[in-house]
Amino acid sequence: MAFQVLLVKAVSTVVTGAVGVAAYNGARTLLDKAPLREAAVVTTAWGLRGVRKAEEGAESARLKVSDVVAEAKERIGEEVPPPAVGETGHGHNH
């Protein structure tokens, strides 16, 4: 009787181990075939697109607020300075 219990436990352990090894090898094979780099590139591209859209939205909001402030200053009689012109070049000669 004790031998049968021991044998059943041993067989159960071997089967569990075999299933674990098969699952591990299957997962490893899938990961080796998976296009991880391509997925990373696609995800990064989506992130960059999102950042660009957010920057465009922020710039648009900044310009709208600037227009409102300029109009409000005009209404109260303050002189509104002309829009700042971006600096050309980068500060040194080549």
Side-chain angles (χ1 to χ4, degrees):
M1 175 90 169
F3 178 71
Q4 289 175 340
V5 171
L6 184 61
L7 183 62
V8 168
K9 286 188 177 189
V11 169
S12 174
T13 301
V14 169
V15 169
T16 301
V19 169
V21 167
Y24 173 79
N25 286 337
R28 197 172 83 191
T29 301
L30 285 175
L31 285 176
D32 287 344
K33 292 181 180 180
L36 296 178
R37 180 177 174 87
E38 180 66 24
V41 170
V42 168
T43 303
T44 303
W46 287 346
L48 289 173
R49 285 185 190 130
V51 166
R52 292 219 172 100
K53 283 290 185 184
E55 288 173 346
E56 288 173 10
E59 181 66 13
S60 176
R62 186 191 66 80
L63 290 172
K64 287 177 183 176
V65 168
S66 183
D67 287 345
V68 168
V69 169
E71 187 176 338
K73 284 184 177 182
E74 250 179 39
R75 284 189 183 182
I76 63 171
E78 287 187 23
E79 186 175 323
V80 180
V85 177
E87 182 179 324
T88 57
H90 47 270
H92 66 270
N93 296 326
H94 287 264

